[in-house]
Coordinates of all heavy atoms in Angstrom, one line a residue:
L112 N -1.6 -0.5 6.3 CA -0.4 -1.1 6.7 C 0.8 -0.4 5.9 O 0.8 -0.6 4.7 CB -0.4 -2.6 6.5 CG -1.5 -3.4 7.2 CD1 -1.3 -4.9 6.9 CD2 -1.4 -3.2 8.7
P113 N 1.6 0.3 6.6 CA 2.8 1.0 5.9 C 3.9 0.0 5.6 O 5.1 0.2 5.9 CB 3.2 2.1 6.8 CG 2.9 1.6 8.2 CD 1.6 0.7 8.0
I114 N 3.6 -1.2 5.0 CA 4.5 -2.3 4.8 C 4.5 -2.6 3.3 O 3.5 -2.6 2.6 CB 4.1 -3.5 5.6 CG1 3.9 -3.2 7.1 CG2 5.1 -4.6 5.4 CD1 3.4 -4.3 7.9
V115 N 5.7 -2.9 2.8 CA 5.9 -3.2 1.4 C 5.5 -4.7 1.2 O 6.1 -5.6 1.8 CB 7.3 -3.0 1.0 CG1 7.5 -3.4 -0.5 CG2 7.7 -1.5 1.2
L116 N 4.4 -4.9 0.5 CA 3.9 -6.3 0.2 C 3.6 -6.4 -1.3 O 3.3 -5.4 -2.0 CB 2.7 -6.5 1.0 CG 2.8 -6.4 2.6 CD1 1.4 -6.4 3.2 CD2 3.6 -7.5 3.2
T117 N 3.6 -7.7 -1.7 CA 3.1 -7.9 -3.1 C 1.6 -8.1 -3.0 O 1.0 -8.1 -1.9 CB 3.7 -9.2 -3.6 OG1 3.3 -10.3 -2.8 CG2 5.2 -9.2 -3.7
A118 N 0.9 -8.1 -4.1 CA -0.5 -8.2 -4.1 C -1.0 -9.5 -3.5 O -2.0 -9.5 -2.7 CB -1.0 -8.1 -5.6
T119 N -0.3 -10.6 -3.8 CA -0.7 -11.9 -3.2 C -0.5 -11.9 -1.7 O -1.3 -12.4 -0.9 CB 0.1 -13.0 -3.8 OG1 -0.2 -13.0 -5.3 CG2 -0.3 -14.3 -3.2
E120 N 0.6 -11.3 -1.2 CA 0.8 -11.3 0.2 C -0.2 -10.4 0.9 O -0.7 -10.8 2.0 CB 2.2 -10.7 0.5 CG 3.3 -11.6 0.1 CD 4.7 -10.9 0.2 OE1 4.7 -9.7 0.3 OE2 5.7 -11.6 0.1
A121 N -0.6 -9.3 0.4 CA -1.6 -8.4 1.0 C -3.0 -9.1 1.0 O -3.8 -9.1 1.9 CB -1.7 -7.1 0.2
A122 N -3.3 -9.8 -0.1 CA -4.6 -10.5 -0.2 C -4.6 -11.7 0.9 O -5.7 -11.9 1.5 CB -4.8 -11.1 -1.6
G123 N -3.5 -12.3 1.1 CA -3.4 -13.4 2.1 C -3.6 -12.8 3.5 O -4.3 -13.5 4.3
K124 N -3.0 -11.7 3.8 CA -3.2 -11.1 5.1 C -4.6 -10.6 5.3 O -5.1 -10.7 6.5 CB -2.1 -10.0 5.2 CG -0.7 -10.5 5.2 CD 0.3 -9.5 5.5 CE 1.7 -10.0 5.3 NZ 1.9 -11.3 5.9
A125 N -5.2 -10.1 4.3 CA -6.6 -9.7 4.5 C -7.5 -11.0 4.8 O -8.4 -10.9 5.6 CB -7.1 -9.0 3.2
E126 N -7.2 -12.1 4.1 CA -8.0 -13.3 4.4 C -7.7 -13.8 5.8 O -8.6 -14.2 6.5 CB -7.6 -14.4 3.3 CG -8.3 -15.7 3.5 CD -7.8 -16.7 2.5 OE1 -6.6 -16.8 2.3 OE2 -8.7 -17.4 2.0
V127 N -6.5 -13.8 6.2 CA -6.1 -14.3 7.6 C -6.8 -13.5 8.6 O -7.4 -14.0 9.6 CB -4.6 -14.3 7.8 CG1 -4.3 -14.5 9.2 CG2 -4.0 -15.4 6.9
L128 N -6.8 -12.2 8.5 CA -7.4 -11.3 9.5 C -8.9 -11.4 9.5 O -9.5 -11.4 10.6 CB -7.0 -9.8 9.2 CG -5.5 -9.5 9.4 CD1 -5.2 -8.1 9.0 CD2 -5.1 -9.7 10.9

Side-chain angles (χ1 to χ4, degrees):
L112 302 181
I114 304 173
V115 179
L116 303 169
T117 63
T119 298
E120 291 172 345
K124 297 187 184 310
E126 181 185 41
V127 169
L128 292 175

